[in-house]
Amino acid sequence: MKKKWRYWFPKLSASTKVDNESSGDRKSNGVAHQNGRAGAAAGKSSATAATAYRSSSGPLIQQQQHQSLQAKPLELQSSLNGQPTSFSDPLVSLKDVPSSDRQALLVRKLKLCSITFDFTDSSKNPKEKEMKRQTLLELVDYISSGTTGKLNEVVSEEVVKMVTANIHRSLPPSARDLSGSSESLEQEEEEPIMDPAWPHLQLVYEFLLRYVVSTDTDAKIAKRYVDHAFVLRLLDLFDSDDPRERDYLKTILHRIYGKFMVHRPFIRKAINNIFYRFIFETERHNGIAELLEILGSIINGFALPLKEEHKLFLVRALIPLHKPRFVSQYHQQLSYCITQFVEKDLKLADTVIRGLLKYWPVVNSQKEVLFLGEMEEILEGTQAAEFQRCMVPLFRQLARCLNSSHFQVAERALFLWNNDHIVNLVAQNRQVILPLVFSSLEKNSRSHWNQTVHNLTLNVRKMLVEMDPELFSECQKRFEEEEAKHKVVEDKREAKWRRLEAAAAARSGSTGENLLASASASPCNGVSFASGKQQGSHQ
């Protein structure tokens, strides 16, 4: 029997194709599969003998066969099973195989890295997690080496499958979701919630970035798999609470935009849709700053003259992004995009300034300070013709800011006069601008509570006096006349109120005396009057 076992078992192990499911069935049932597993070279009689022997002593042979397959390297299991399904043994290194076989081995390693683990519990699969990390590191080094050769279609497909399996997932709850209130967004000191799987996710993102920028990646082949659905899933991940993940996504999406020209209109449209949902529906998104940073680079590369599509994007998406109250989280990137548009097309300055005035904050002082800083940047790139179209509504708003009781708002508005370009524009149009701001400056110089604002106001007044003394004197005379008229109106109103108060007091006194006199003259009538009043009130 022992000699017979030695005779038949090599034929079984050499000719049998084993998969996990069928192997488990044979181990549990103790019966070998009889579906033509024996090799054709053994012949019909050999197969019959092997079947008879396996029927009599199947469990022992099944156990030995299982141990034999487990002892084989994982690359042999891969060739047997079609793809690796475990990290029982590592695959050979990509450097240790001939260049003709590397892409096939790369595919098997990509399939292996498609297996995901639960990182919320560090005690689960520690060995497998470490082996996956080592495999991902090897993949990153290999794709960065520049010795891969042109990646074929199978590799591109497996790359996208592996990346999709790892990064396209349900995001962990953010800090605002756990707090149950959007007010948590204002707490800049609050730490974001970090994904416990980030050590592995970082390697996957790094591999995807190296794959996209690699010269061995053929865009014509890769675009079939890095498609619109893949881009949309990447954009969904921008709402991650982890800033490290958003930073990788920003870089990868920008590289995709640069490499796959066919996807450019779709990416811009998809970003627009995210902005629309944020502005008009949720006002909640973690990745607005990163998306605007990508758009800043994209806008910088727009060809001239600007397409109508790009101008509509400015009017419908970028300018309304000033509306949400949490604009401070992404205002720096938004301001850069706006100024890029103005630099590209100077005629857009009027549109942008009027758009800012439309969304100018009323009660949010910190937001006003941001708007004033952005307005200064826009005015620096504004020419005289565009400035004249919007200077009246602009300086009416600036006059209100000069009179603000919040010292930072008034101070930031006064700092505009330190900009030489803005002062030149004001000097060219002083006949219109000076009457608009004179009253605010005069009130600040007389009664503003903050000493810094008071000193800055005096400096601006001195500048305007030197700019046009006659116009300044005329404005001052007109201001004093208006103040006198206003004082006369106020005195009349106060006198009228005093007369009304006196008449009301006299009338109430006479009415009270009459009621007391009538009550003392006829008590019964007084009682019946009181009871009738109570009855009427009940009715």
Side-chain angles (χ1 to χ4, degrees):
M1 181 66 71
K2 185 175 182 181
K3 186 181 293 185
K4 191 173 182 180
W5 178 84
R6 289 179 178 177
Y7 177 77
W8 286 109
F9 186 74
K11 293 186 177 181
L12 282 170
S13 60
S15 61
T16 305
K17 294 183 178 180
V18 183
D19 56 28
N20 291 336
E21 183 178 353
S22 58
S23 176
D25 292 339
R26 288 198 304 272
K27 187 173 180 180
S28 60
N29 297 332
V31 180
H33 283 276
Q34 303 176 15
N35 297 325
R37 298 295 188 180
K44 184 175 181 180
S45 60
S46 300
T48 305
T51 304
Y53 180 75
R54 288 196 301 270
S55 301
S56 61
S57 58
L60 177 61
I61 293 179
Q62 296 298 325
Q63 184 179 2
Q64 295 290 338
Q65 183 180 359
H66 181 71
Q67 293 175 355
S68 175
L69 288 173
Q70 288 296 324
K72 293 180 183 297
L74 193 57
E75 61 268 24
L76 180 57
Q77 294 188 41
S78 302
S79 63
L80 293 174
N81 300 344
Q83 70 178 44
T85 57
S86 68
F87 286 86
S88 58
D89 288 304
L91 289 168
V92 296
S93 174
L94 287 163
K95 299 178 181 178
D96 298 337
V97 297
S99 58
S100 59
D101 297 335
R102 284 178 183 173
Q103 294 209 15
L105 181 59
L106 176 62
V107 169
R108 293 199 293 271
K109 286 180 177 285
L110 288 169
K111 290 181 178 179
L112 195 64
C113 290
S114 298
I115 302 172
T116 57
F117 299 100
D118 181 13
F119 287 88
T120 58
D121 188 353
S122 58
S123 62
K124 290 183 179 179
N125 311 109
K127 180 181 177 183
E128 289 80 358
K129 291 176 183 177
E130 178 60 24
M131 291 180 67
K132 179 179 178 182
R133 189 182 70 85
Q134 294 295 337
T135 305
L136 287 170
L137 283 172
E138 183 188 5
L139 291 178
V140 171
D141 292 339
Y142 177 69
I143 204 73
S144 306
S145 64
T147 61
T148 60
K150 288 294 182 181
L151 300 176
N152 58 36
E153 187 169 355
V154 177
V155 172
S156 296
E157 182 180 5
E158 291 301 327
V159 166
V160 173
K161 285 183 179 179
M162 187 274 288
V163 171
T164 301
N166 283 276
I167 69 173
H168 294 155
R169 68 207 188 280
S170 298
L171 295 174
S174 62
R176 62 170 182 261
D177 295 330
L178 294 178
S179 65
S181 173
S182 60
E183 297 298 329
S184 61
L185 291 173
E186 295 178 322
Q187 301 175 5
E188 296 181 0
E189 69 277 3
E190 187 172 352
E191 291 294 330
I193 297 177
M194 302 300 183
D195 195 326
W198 177 247
H200 282 248
L201 289 175
Q202 181 181 12
L203 295 175
V204 176
Y205 278 119
E206 186 67 27
F207 176 78
L208 176 59
L209 176 60
R210 302 294 178 88
Y211 168 77
V212 172
V213 302
S214 174
T215 56
D216 295 325
T217 301
D218 190 349
K220 294 181 180 179
I221 295 176
K223 71 180 182 181
R224 303 172 191 169
Y225 305 101
V226 183
D227 54 6
H228 290 178
F230 183 82
V231 170
L232 283 177
R233 288 194 291 266
L234 280 182
L235 287 170
D236 289 339
L237 292 171
F238 272 88
D239 200 20
S240 171
D241 205 42
D242 195 332
R244 301 168 299 181
E245 182 170 13
R246 298 199 304 268
D247 191 59
Y248 262 106
L249 287 166
K250 173 189 67 178
T251 306
I252 291 170
L253 185 63
H254 189 212
R255 297 294 185 177
I256 290 174
Y257 186 91
K259 193 179 189 75
F260 302 96
M261 295 183 65
V262 67
H263 293 335
R264 290 183 179 183
F266 177 81
I267 292 175
R268 292 197 300 268
K269 183 178 180 181
I271 294 176
N272 279 5
N273 292 335
I274 292 176
F275 288 163
Y276 294 152
R277 191 179 305 114
F278 171 73
I279 296 166
F280 302 110
E281 294 182 10
T282 63
E283 290 195 3
R284 283 185 168 194
H285 199 284
N286 290 317
I288 299 298
E290 287 77 11
L291 291 172
L292 286 170
E293 196 168 339
I294 296 172
L295 285 171
S297 179
I298 293 173
I299 294 167
N300 192 27
F302 281 165
L304 296 177
L306 289 176
K307 297 179 181 179
E308 191 64 26
E309 168 198 351
H310 303 327
K311 295 179 182 179
L312 288 175
F313 168 68
L314 169 67
V315 174
R316 296 179 179 177
L318 289 185
I319 292 178
L321 275 173
H322 293 84
K323 175 178 176 285
R325 57 178 176 149
F326 303 115
V327 67
S328 59
Q329 295 182 342
Y330 54 84
H331 183 265
Q332 181 180 356
Q333 294 83 357
L334 176 60
S335 178
Y336 177 76
C337 292
I338 295 289
T339 53
Q340 285 290 308
F341 266 106
V342 175
E343 291 175 3
K344 287 282 182 180
D345 189 350
L346 299 177
K347 295 180 180 179
L348 292 174
D350 175 48
T351 302
V352 170
I353 291 174
R354 291 181 182 273
L356 281 178
L357 294 175
K358 177 181 178 182
Y359 295 105
W360 200 277
V362 178
V363 295
N364 192 333
S365 300
Q366 295 301 323
K367 195 173 175 181
E368 272 194 282
V369 173
L370 294 176
F371 274 48
L372 288 166
E374 183 178 358
M375 186 65 73
E376 181 176 4
E377 294 181 5
I378 295 169
L379 288 174
E380 285 181 352
T382 304
Q383 300 302 314
E386 285 71 33
F387 179 78
Q388 289 173 358
R389 296 192 186 102
C390 59
M391 61 182 179
V392 173
L394 171 60
F395 277 87
R396 281 177 179 166
Q397 180 60 55
L398 291 179
R400 288 191 286 270
C401 293
L402 291 172
N403 269 146
S404 174
S405 58
H406 196 289
F407 78 97
Q408 289 180 339
V409 175
E411 185 180 48
R412 190 64 186 85
L414 288 165
F415 280 155
L416 293 176
W417 304 90
N418 293 334
N419 190 295
D420 294 336
H421 181 69
I422 297 176
V423 171
N424 290 333
L425 292 174
V426 171
Q428 295 172 17
N429 302 275
R430 57 184 180 274
Q431 298 290 339
V432 178
I433 294 175
L434 186 54
L436 294 174
V437 300
F438 184 86
S439 61
S440 298
L441 293 173
E442 198 67 21
K443 290 175 182 177
N444 274 3
S445 64
R446 293 181 181 180
S447 59
H448 201 282
W449 65 273
N450 186 270
Q451 187 62 39
T452 303
V453 173
H454 184 267
N455 294 336
L456 289 172
T457 301
L458 294 179
N459 292 337
V460 173
R461 288 182 79 256
K462 182 180 179 181
M463 182 190 304
L464 294 175
V465 170
E466 295 174 354
M467 187 181 295
D468 194 335
E470 294 181 1
L471 179 61
F472 189 88
S473 300
E474 182 181 346
C475 291
Q476 188 168 18
K477 182 179 178 181
R478 191 181 307 164
F479 174 77
E480 292 173 355
E481 291 175 356
E482 291 178 355
E483 284 288 306
K485 291 179 181 179
H486 182 70
K487 190 175 185 305
V488 170
V489 171
E490 285 291 324
D491 291 342
K492 289 182 178 180
R493 185 165 62 241
E494 289 293 332
K496 184 180 291 186
W497 276 112
R498 285 195 295 270
R499 289 197 302 271
L500 289 172
E501 289 174 358
R507 184 174 181 181
S508 62
S510 61
T511 304
E513 291 176 359
N514 293 335
L515 288 175
L516 289 174
S518 60
S520 59
S522 59
C524 296
N525 293 337
V527 173
S528 63
F529 173 77
S531 62
K533 185 176 181 180
Q534 290 180 356
Q535 184 178 1
S537 64
H538 286 302
Q539 292 177 355

